[in-house]
């Protein structure tokens, strides 16, 4: 990791305003695919970190510390913008405008700029200014309501669906799309990537199933653990396995290998999709899978047409033979993390550098903008820039 870049976005420059959640994840994805990402941290950032390399979502970029409330700090940011294709920011609506760094000012400095904005609620609407986190956006979208066991409270799926799926990936997809358009039209634009909107878009299948009358109470449906052939089961050793045998041929093979339903009287055999039989079948499968260890079930069901996989811990996932063979995980600097994705046959992405301390590349970036050593020293003395200047 020497700073050399590769990937389909090589040559694209991104200015990333320091933020939480979707913005650093989107910037990580862009950097992994070759974009030159400059992270704008606060000039006097005092975040404690025993080792910035551990902040995996901030890998692959350089950092400059700026005081954006000072006119000179804003000038430096606009100088960065003039050489950029994309700006990413994740503040509440209106914050960048009050700094004099909103879309109007930045697009005036760089008409081809794609101004990517990530929020939870979006840039307008009655909730736009309300404080919230991933769990709240999932709640208002309806997504959270559908995740959990019947009769129990909904279960938040970490922050992966909202912050990263409906937020960061949506933002990355949006800005890359807008960059492609700008290269044709010569005009930039604002990309409003709201986590709420992303979650709604990701719910397409669920709404289709509801329209067909196929969805009912939480935890009783095909993909929410209602079906006995699509769930997680505990084994004799307290470990877990996952079964996703939706298609009839996969379910038939599962039954054949495990002996499930083999000894049932004909009058008790029900069609696979008969929902009235699901609770009873699930109890029977729970008893069956609890009779053997996870390793035993792996030996029987792995590589069979049953849609089966063991439920691995984070550490086990790093060591699984399939993940090792594909280099799904990497450990730059000894810190385990997912490798850049997706993969490209001709222009593969790469982790160009580990995460850096706030302001670590301030002098380097200022020199690229044409500032001489005396000017950099003066900016440092005034506190307009921070870090290693």
């Amino acid at each position: 990791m020497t700073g050399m870049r590769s990937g389909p976005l090589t040559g694209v420059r991104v200015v990333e305003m320091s933020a939480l959640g979707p913005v650093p994840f989107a910037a990580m994805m862009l950097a992994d695919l070759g974009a030159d990402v400059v992270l704008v941290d606060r000039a006097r950032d005092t975040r404690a970190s025993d080792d910035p390399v551990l902040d995996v979502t901030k890998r692959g970029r350089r950092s400059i510390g700026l005081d954006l409330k000072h006119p000179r700090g804003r000038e430096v940011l606009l100088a960065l913008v003039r050489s950029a294709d994309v700006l990413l920011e994740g503040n509440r609506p209106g914050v960048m405008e009050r700094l004099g760094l909103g879309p109007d000012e930045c697009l005036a400095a760089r008409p081809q700029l794609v101004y990517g904005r990530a929020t939870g609620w979006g840039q307008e609407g009655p909730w736009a200014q309300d404080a919230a986190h991933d769990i709240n956006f999932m709640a208002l979208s309806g997504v959270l309501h559908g995740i959990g066991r019947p009769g129990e409270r909904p279960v938040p799926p970490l922050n992966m669906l909202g912050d990263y799926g409906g937020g960061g990936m949506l933002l990355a997809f949006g800005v890359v799309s807008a960059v492609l358009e700008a290269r044709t039209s010569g005009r930039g634009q604002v990309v409003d990537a709201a986590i709420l909107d992303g979650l709604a878009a990701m719910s397409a299948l669920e709404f289709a199933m509801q329209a067909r009358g196929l969805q009912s109470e939480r935890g009783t449906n095909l993909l929410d653990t209602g079906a006995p052939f699509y769930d997680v089961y505990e084994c004799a050793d307290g470990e877990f396995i996952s079964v996703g045998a939706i298609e009839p041929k996969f379910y038939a093979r599962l039954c054949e290998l495990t002996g499930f339903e083999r000894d049932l009287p004909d009058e008790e055999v029900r069609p696979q999709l008969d929902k009235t039989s699901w609770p009873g079948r699930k109890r029977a499968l729970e008893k069956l899978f609890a009779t053997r260890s996870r390793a035993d079930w792996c030996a029987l069901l792995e590589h069979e047409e049953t849609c089966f996989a063991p439920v691995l811990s984070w550490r086990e996932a790093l060591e699984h033979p399939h993940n090792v063979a594909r280099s799904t995980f990497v450990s730059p600097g000894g810190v385990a993390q997912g490798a850049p994705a997706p993969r490209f046959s001709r222009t593969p992405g790469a982790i160009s550098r580990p995460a850096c301390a706030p302001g670590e590349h301030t002098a380097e970036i200022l020199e690229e903008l044409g500032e001489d050593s005396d000017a950099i020293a003066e900016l440092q003395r005034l506190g307009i820039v921070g870090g290693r200047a």
Side-chain angles (χ1 to χ4, degrees):
M1 296 185 297
T2 61
M4 296 295 292
R5 298 189 172 275
S6 64
L9 296 182
T10 299
V12 173
R13 189 166 201 188
V14 178
V15 176
E16 173 197 0
M17 311 304 296
S18 180
L20 299 174
V23 168
F25 184 67
M28 183 194 84
M29 293 185 68
L30 299 176
D32 283 352
L33 299 190
D36 177 15
V37 181
V38 174
L39 171 59
V40 179
D41 278 303
R42 295 175 180 84
R44 293 183 174 86
D45 200 320
T46 58
R47 290 174 297 175
S49 176
D50 53 351
D51 187 351
V53 173
L54 301 179
D55 199 351
V56 170
T57 58
K58 292 191 176 178
R59 70 193 188 194
R61 45 261 223 210
R62 298 178 296 164
S63 171
I64 181 173
L66 285 179
D67 178 3
L68 296 177
K69 295 182 178 180
H70 192 285
R72 189 71 174 90
R74 292 193 292 273
E75 288 177 10
V76 172
L77 182 68
L78 289 173
L80 279 171
V81 165
R82 290 186 187 96
S83 65
D85 300 285
V86 176
L87 181 143
L88 302 178
E89 66 97 1
N91 297 290
R92 291 197 205 187
V95 170
M96 292 293 283
E97 283 84 351
R98 288 193 291 274
L99 286 171
L101 297 169
D104 290 346
E105 293 84 0
C106 289
L107 284 165
R110 172 71 167 166
Q112 299 86 4
L113 183 74
V114 173
Y115 196 104
R117 319 194 82 168
T119 59
W121 305 121
Q123 293 298 311
E124 69 281 320
W127 286 43
Q129 293 292 339
D130 289 1
H133 275 299
D134 180 275
I135 190 172
N136 310 120
F137 312 131
M138 286 192 295
L140 204 69
S141 70
V143 169
L144 187 56
H145 176 79
I147 303 175
R149 301 289 182 177
E152 298 182 10
R153 71 185 70 181
V155 178
L158 303 180
N159 72 329
M160 293 183 181
L161 277 184
D163 277 349
Y164 288 174
M169 287 190 178
L170 184 77
L171 177 62
F173 171 72
V175 298
V176 169
S177 300
V179 166
L180 289 174
E181 194 280 335
R183 289 183 173 180
T184 300
S185 68
R187 299 171 60 195
Q189 60 183 308
V190 176
V191 176
D192 175 2
I195 295 174
L196 182 65
D197 296 347
L199 287 165
M202 292 168 65
S203 302
L205 177 61
E206 298 303 313
F207 279 108
M209 295 178 73
Q210 288 181 40
R212 292 180 171 90
L214 300 177
Q215 291 288 87
S216 52
E217 178 190 356
R218 175 175 58 251
T220 64
N221 304 289
L222 183 65
L223 302 178
D224 64 3
T225 75
F229 46 83
Y230 196 90
D231 205 350
V232 170
Y233 291 96
E234 186 172 3
C235 305
D237 54 359
E239 300 292 347
F240 294 87
I241 58 173
S242 68
V243 174
I246 296 175
E247 291 81 358
K249 64 178 181 179
F250 300 142
Y251 183 62
R253 184 61 173 157
L254 177 71
C255 292
E256 177 186 354
L257 289 170
T258 62
F260 185 62
E261 295 190 355
R262 180 182 299 159
D263 300 324
L264 286 178
D266 290 343
E267 63 271 15
E268 292 185 20
V269 176
R270 296 286 186 272
Q272 179 185 350
L273 297 181
D274 177 5
K275 293 185 71 171
T276 63
S277 72
W278 285 1
R281 288 189 191 188
K282 179 166 289 191
R283 289 191 294 270
L285 273 177
E286 288 172 350
K287 291 179 181 178
L288 174 63
F289 286 125
T291 62
R292 301 172 68 173
S293 70
R294 186 182 71 178
D296 287 340
W297 290 118
C298 286
L300 179 67
L301 299 174
E302 279 185 357
H303 308 304
E304 296 285 351
E305 293 287 288
T306 58
C307 299
F308 163 91
V311 177
L312 303 180
S313 68
W314 298 106
R315 180 56 55 188
E316 288 174 321
L318 299 176
E319 300 167 354
H320 190 274
H322 183 77
N323 293 332
V324 172
R326 285 183 56 81
S327 298
T328 300
F329 298 97
V330 294
S331 299
V335 181
Q337 54 200 273
R343 304 178 185 210
F344 297 82
S345 63
R346 188 171 53 80
T347 58
I351 301 175
S352 60
R353 61 176 77 238
C356 56
E360 182 174 334
H361 306 94
T362 294
E364 176 184 320
I365 294 168
L366 289 173
E367 288 170 0
E368 289 177 3
L369 295 176
E371 301 284 356
D372 60 31
S373 59
D374 290 340
I376 293 172
E378 181 66 7
L379 290 169
Q380 173 77 355
R381 186 185 68 79
L382 295 173
I384 297 169
V385 302
R388 301 177 185 176

